[in-house]
Amino acid sequence: MATERFLFPHHQKIKLKKLCFLLFLFSSFIHSDENIVIVISLDGIRYDYLERTETDAFSYLRKGGASASSLVPVYQSSTFPTHVTMATGVTPDLHGILHNSFYDKERGSFSYSPDASWIQFEPVWSILENQNIKTATYFWVGSETDWRGTSISYSKAPFNGRIGEKEKLDQILEWLDMEIDLRPRLIMSWWHGTDSVAHQKGATHPDVFKQLNKQDKILFQLIEEISLRNIWNKVTLLVVSDHGMSDVSNFINLKEILKLNSIKARISTGPAVAHIFLENKEDLKKTISSLRENQHLSVWSKENLPKEFNMFNETRTGDVIVTTSIPNMLVTRNNSNPPIGMHGYNPRDNKQMHSIFLAYGNKVANKRLQKVHQLDIAPTILDLLNLDVPKYMQGRIIELQ
């Protein structure tokens, strides 16, 4: 049963922060082999948002823990591919989740599916469960069903966007309060972050930072509760985000371009990348030349797709791939109420796609890091749990001490 929660007035929060810091200094000398890792992903928190408003939780974590200048996402920098990369340690071409929705020539259409069988590399929770280590997830992408027969000990499903962070916080605390033989050692949870507000009102609208402050308050409650339990000596908290955000203003209708040129095809599109599956392969050159007439588009055949994009998947990559950059957005229909904020763009060219990384607790020193990559999250989780990192993982262990 979860411990009764307490609400702290502002002046008591200051005292609590000092107490937490002293407890952390004491507990930093104790390293438990039974470490617990908590990963909180707040959707759409851009790397520079924390500099633009005052916060309690984020500031506390930065002052006492490790923080990176930015977290570099994979491309497309969208919720599904980024979360699966953080869970698998490989790029989207390998784990197969190219975007929130995509087309597979053998399986058909994927659209925000909860079915983990679409993931082609093993998620970190499956690695742990296969070593008899209990895990828990609350709305992490790809965690709603078994992965190739391996079940998560505690998984919340189905996804419900109406569930707020207070309910997730209560469940996380309930997991932490379990008896040691039942308690999960990895807890991963998706939070709303600022994504929806930024889509509707723009990347730097004042309401984005109001929403950030709301999320900050719940995150601070998590910090308070861990401190009250005096368990920072065996808990590592990682706070990340899946992508950043930018304003968009120019909408390019790919379906209209193909229609004007009498090209029949299936279009699987995201805001920054589209995969075009041609009905007639002989239309390849015509399709490429027609699309290249638009100065805001870059166009490749499947065979010539740049390797560094990490998008080549045998059954899920189109015959023709189209990309664009900020402030353009790819669409297949006209929208009377288009988004103002968007993501998905190449993080190598658009730093506004970068997000946040903070760490605090056991095995974490107070240090500033240069940019880290989402590929580094899964190896770091395994290292924090004293487990070997599979050689196929493409990231590195983040040096937190």
Side-chain angles (χ1 to χ4, degrees), residues 23-38:
L23 289 172
F24 173 65
L25 287 178
F26 173 77
S27 65
S28 65
F29 293 101
I30 306 171
H31 291 296
S32 169
D33 288 337
E34 294 300 307
N35 196 33
I36 301 166
V37 176
I38 303 172

Side-chain angles (χ1 to χ4, degrees), residues 31-76:
H31 291 296
S32 169
D33 288 337
E34 294 300 307
N35 196 33
I36 301 166
V37 176
I38 303 172
V39 186
I40 304 296
S41 175
L42 298 104
D43 206 313
I45 307 289
R46 200 168 79 185
Y47 78 98
D48 60 340
Y49 280 1
L50 304 185
E51 308 288 349
R52 293 171 174 251
T53 185
E54 292 186 6
T55 59
D56 288 326
F58 293 113
S59 296
Y60 181 80
L61 296 176
R62 294 171 82 182
K63 289 176 182 177
S67 61
S69 59
S70 70
L71 178 63
V72 183
V74 291
Y75 187 30
Q76 294 192 67

